[in-house]
Amino acid sequence: FTGDQIGTMLGHWLWTTVGTTSDRPVAVVASTVSSKMLAAVARAEGFAFHETLTGFKWIGNRALDLERDGVHVIFTMEEAIGFCCGGAHPDKDGLSAAGVFAQMACDCYARGTTLAGHMQALYHKYGEFAAGNGYLPCPSPEAAARAIARIRDGGDYHRTRGIGPYAVASVRDLGAPGYDSLAPDGRPLLPTSAASPMVTLRFDNGCVAQFRASGTEPKFKYYIELPGAPGVPRAEVEAALEKMKAVILGEML
C-alpha cells in the first residue's frame, strides 16, 4: 500500500471505531500534498478535514490548536508514511499506527475480507483516487524559480486558456505575498514563504496538481491526483490521470 492508502484506511477506521461515538466535534489533519481521498471521506461522513504544510511540525501543531478549541482530533497523516493515531502524542508514531493497523486487519479477516479488499470497498464507496507524484531534477534555486514562474503564468495561472484541454478552476500560491482564488479576500489560510513557494492548481474535473521545490534535495516535486466518481473503474481513472499528467508536465515544466 502507498502512504496515502494506509492513511485513508487508518483515518476511516478511527472514524468508524472512535469518531462516531465522540462527544466532541471530530477532525482529521493531513499535509496538503497528501491524497484528497480522506477529505472526501470526511465530507461524506460529516467530520472535519484540515490541511497543513508538509511536515509534522505543522500537522502536530494544527492538531494541538484544534484540541485546545474543543475538537477531537482522531488522526493526522502525511503521505510520506507518517501517521498519528489519537491524541496521546501529537507526532508521527509508527508503533501505535502499526498497532491500530493490526487491529483493523484483524477486523477485516474476521469479516471474511482482506486489507486489499477493504481498500477496494472504500474506493467503491468514495471513488477511486489515482495519484501521479514524482519529481524532476532541479540543479539550482534559479531553476526552481523559473519553473514556478512558468506555472504562475504572469499571475494568470493558466486560467484564461487552460492547460491543453483542461480548465483550471482555482489556484493557490503559497509564495509571498500569497494568493488563493477561493478565499474571499484572496489570502491563503496556510503560511506563505518567498523562499519556499508551493503552487496548487485545481481543475474543473477535480484534479489537483501541486508543485514545489524540495527543501533538502535538488528536486522539483509535483503531486498530481485525479478522483473518479464512485463506480468508475480504477483503470479508467488511471488512464485519464496519465493522459492529463503528460499534458500538465509537458506544457508547464
Side-chain angles (χ1 to χ4, degrees):
F1 298 108
T2 67
D4 281 329
Q5 290 173 323
I6 294 171
T8 298
M9 284 192 284
L10 285 173
H12 179 270
W13 169 257
L14 287 167
W15 162 249
T16 58
T17 58
V18 177
T20 54
T21 59
S22 177
D23 58 357
R24 294 183 287 155
V26 172
V28 298
V29 181
S31 65
T32 187
V33 298
S34 298
S35 172
K36 307 306 180 190
M37 184 172 181
L38 189 54
V41 174
R43 284 193 302 271
E45 302 299 336
F47 59 95
F49 175 87
H50 298 266
E51 65 176 14
T52 72
L53 297 181
T54 57
F56 257 84
K57 172 182 74 174
W58 300 101
I59 297 168
N61 281 327
R62 183 61 176 141
L64 289 173
D65 288 343
L66 289 167
E67 287 283 352
R68 281 190 286 267
D69 290 339
V71 176
H72 187 182
V73 180
I74 58 173
F75 180 65
T76 64
M77 67 162 286
E78 60 182 358
E79 52 85 28
I81 319 295
F83 313 109
C84 175
C85 301
H89 181 58
D91 200 355
K92 56 185 174 182
D93 179 7
L95 292 177
S96 61
V100 175
F101 197 79
Q103 184 182 28
M104 178 176 62
C106 289
D107 179 77
C108 287
Y109 300 146
R111 292 186 287 107
T113 187
T114 63
L115 287 169
H118 178 57
M119 186 70 238
Q120 190 55 54
L122 295 181
Y123 281 138
H124 181 75
K125 183 175 182 179
Y126 303 107
E128 298 277 356
F129 282 70
N133 303 340
Y135 68 88
L136 298 172
C138 187
S140 67
E142 292 75 20
R146 288 193 297 270
I148 290 291
R150 285 181 60 87
I151 296 167
R152 285 175 171 156
D153 190 31
D156 184 70
Y157 300 91
H158 303 269
R159 285 176 291 177
T160 300
R161 63 180 181 276
I163 301 174
Y166 306 107
V168 177
S170 63
V171 303
R172 182 184 64 193
D173 188 339
L174 297 181
Y179 174 64
D180 191 336
S181 64
L182 292 181
D185 60 359
R187 300 174 61 183
L189 294 176
L190 298 185
T192 60
S193 169
S196 304
M198 182 191 318
V199 179
T200 301
L201 304 182
R202 312 176 187 101
F203 293 83
D204 278 354
N205 64 357
C207 178
V208 177
Q210 304 189 79
F211 306 89
R212 69 181 181 95
S214 170
T216 57
E217 302 172 293
K219 298 176 179 178
F220 191 82
K221 297 185 174 183
Y222 57 84
Y223 308 81
I224 304 174
E225 184 179 51
L226 179 66
V232 176
R234 184 168 190 81
E236 185 175 328
V237 180
E238 288 180 336
L241 170 70
E242 287 304 311
K243 181 179 178 181
M244 189 170 183
K245 174 183 169 181
V247 173
I248 292 173
L249 297 183
E251 291 204 8
M252 298 179 63
L253 300 178

